[in-house]
Structures are given as structure tokens and as C-alpha cells.
Amino acid sequence: MTNDIYGPFPGSREFLAGLTEGQRARYEELGTNLEVVERRIADACAAAGRARDEVKLVVVTKTYPAEDTALLAALGVTDVAENRDQDAAPKAEQCRNLPLDWHFVGQLQTNKVRSVVRYANHVHSVDRLRLVESLSAAVLKSDRPELGCLVQVALDRDVPAGGAAVQGGAEHRAGVAPADVPALADAIAEAPGLRLDGVMTVAPLAGPLAGDPARAFAVLAEIASAVRTAHPAATMVSAGMSGDLEQAVAAGATHVRVGTAVLGVRSPLR
């Protein structure tokens, strides 16, 4: 690479002038995709009677290189997400001078916690008490501010009245059953070094809510409301991806996690 795109001033005239031909083409492609996604979010907000600034776009950069993350920063993206620490840690280090807010959205093993707390400002995938304890201990040992945490809710583990609970199987999403959310939320709120930010879900693959993201996100909205009753500052509702962001916005999502619609079809994970 003949230029440094990881400096502290993305989007400056000097930055744009220093792009290679390939980088310029990717920059323009990402910019076009971002415009489409931004319009979708704006239209969804308008349809729901919400202000556009009530919804934050988090671009999921998993499987894509740090160079794409830098180009996104140059295009004005402020929030990016990763789901595997082995990919996220070096990428975050390479982009450390860029004005980015890092979100960790994947299943998190306790042996990766110390690494994740070095760069992540938000962990969306808190799903068990042991992880709460590990995150708290790691934050207290580090020189960093509080870590924002969201309870990941698995909507196929517990369903509304009239539905049948899903029994086991590989199709379960990660997360805790809705009935277990209050206890885990309390644990996060009480853990030193952690801040309870809200709840997160992914539209379920199985059970009565499968294939119906609008209904699934409406259930999450009810759960989020109950969490806010006990913890008024826990206002984040992280839901919706490339294929269902409109339904998430309609249900009250404050953060949508969009990858493919911005970056393109992903390569297989190695």
C-alpha cells in the first residue's frame, strides 16, 4: 500500500487524494451502499413516526479487512461491529487512530474477554452470569471506562402464550430465554465496571416466531420495556440486520446491525 488510510483525519482532502485506484473504487462502492441503507433507515423511521436520529447504524465488518473499516470511517461511519475476537483485535489495533465506536456482537468465550475489553465499547452478546463476572473482572483490571453490556435474548427459547417452546437443537440462537432476562440484567447492572445498556436479539430461525421478524421484534420491545422499568438508563434495543431492519425500526430498535447491505456478500469464515 502506498498510502496510510488509518490516520486520525479520515475524509480529509489529503486522505481522498492519497487513495489508490482500487481503494477509490471500493470507497465509492461503500458510499453508494451506505446511501441506500441510510435511505432505508430514514424511510423506516418516517413510516414508524420516529426521528431519524433515534436509530444508530452499526456496520458489521466481520470477514472484511481493516482497509474497508478505514474507508467506512472516511465515509462518516462511527460505529462498527465484529463477532470474532481473533479478527476484531488486530483490526481495532490497526484502526486505533480512527474515530470509531467498537461493538462486539458475537458469542464471547471467557478466555477472550481480556482481549475484547481492550477495544470494545459495547458487548451486545452477554448471555450468562459467568460472562458477566469475567467481563467485570477484566474491566476492573484494565485502565478503561465502564463497558456497556446488552443482554442477548434468544426468542426461540421461550415464546408468548399460545406458542410451543422449541426443544433443543442446533437452530437455537445464542442468548437467554426471555424469562431469564431480568435476573441477568440485574447482574450486569450490579457488576463493577459494567453498564447495563439494554437488550439485543437476532430474529429466530426456529419456533413460532421464525420467519416473522416483525412479531419477534415486537416481543423484544416488550422485554426491553420491562428492563427499562427496572433500569431506566438501559435504553438500547439492538435488533435488525440487512434483511429485516425495517421491521426492527418499526418495533423500536435503537441500533440496527447491518453488514451485507453495506459491504456486500461475505466470504466464508475460515
Side-chain angles (χ1 to χ4, degrees):
M1 187 181 302
T2 59
N3 62 316
D4 180 12
I5 64 173
Y6 303 98
F9 303 112
S12 67
R13 182 173 300 177
E14 292 78 10
F15 170 89
L16 296 175
L19 294 180
T20 65
E21 183 176 349
Q23 290 167 347
R24 170 74 70 169
R26 182 59 167 160
Y27 177 86
E28 292 176 354
E29 177 186 15
L30 293 173
T32 297
N33 293 345
L34 275 171
E35 288 178 3
V36 173
V37 171
E38 286 287 349
R39 174 48 55 191
R40 288 177 61 190
I41 297 173
D43 288 348
C45 286
R50 303 178 63 189
R52 171 62 187 88
D53 62 6
E54 293 180 16
V55 180
K56 172 74 71 174
L57 170 62
V58 180
V59 179
V60 182
T61 53
K62 66 181 184 181
T63 79
Y64 285 93
E67 183 173 283
D68 278 353
T69 304
L71 294 174
L72 288 168
L75 286 161
V77 169
T78 57
D79 291 69
V80 295
E82 290 284 330
N83 74 333
R84 300 201 309 174
D85 176 66
Q86 58 265 44
D87 300 324
K91 192 180 296 186
E93 173 61 21
Q94 194 166 359
C95 297
R96 66 186 181 279
N97 292 323
L98 298 174
L100 292 169
D101 196 7
W102 290 84
H103 301 245
F104 190 86
V105 299
Q107 288 185 277
L108 180 54
Q109 302 302 314
T110 55
N111 65 343
K112 297 292 186 180
V113 161
R114 289 181 61 188
S115 177
V116 169
V117 301
R118 292 190 182 103
Y119 58 85
N121 297 314
H122 313 273
V123 174
H124 292 229
S125 48
V126 180
D127 60 357
R128 59 197 187 280
L129 181 59
R130 179 72 184 92
L131 181 57
V132 173
E133 295 168 345
S134 295
L135 286 167
S136 176
V139 171
L140 292 180
K141 289 179 182 178
S142 67
D143 182 20
R144 61 154 296 150
E146 285 185 326
L147 175 68
C149 294
L150 288 82
V151 177
Q152 182 169 358
V153 186
L155 293 174
D156 57 1
R157 294 185 182 274
D158 187 350
V159 297
V166 178
Q167 301 297 323
E171 289 189 310
H172 266 314
R173 292 292 194 185
V176 297
D180 297 328
V181 170
L184 192 58
D186 289 346
I188 294 170
E190 295 167 3
L194 305 186
R195 182 184 67 249
L196 176 64
D197 280 349
V199 297
M200 182 273 262
T201 201
V202 181
L205 296 171
L209 299 177
D212 192 352
R215 185 177 167 215
F217 296 146
V219 171
L220 182 70
E222 295 175 1
I223 295 167
S225 179
V227 169
R228 287 195 301 273
T229 298
H231 305 281
T235 58
M236 281 181 66
V237 181
S238 173
M241 300 189 294
S242 293
D244 53 23
L245 69 85
E246 286 85 0
Q247 293 93 328
V249 170
T254 63
H255 291 67
V256 292
R257 310 177 307 272
V258 178
T260 302
V262 173
L263 288 148
V265 177
R266 304 187 186 287
S267 59
L269 289 175
R270 296 179 300 278

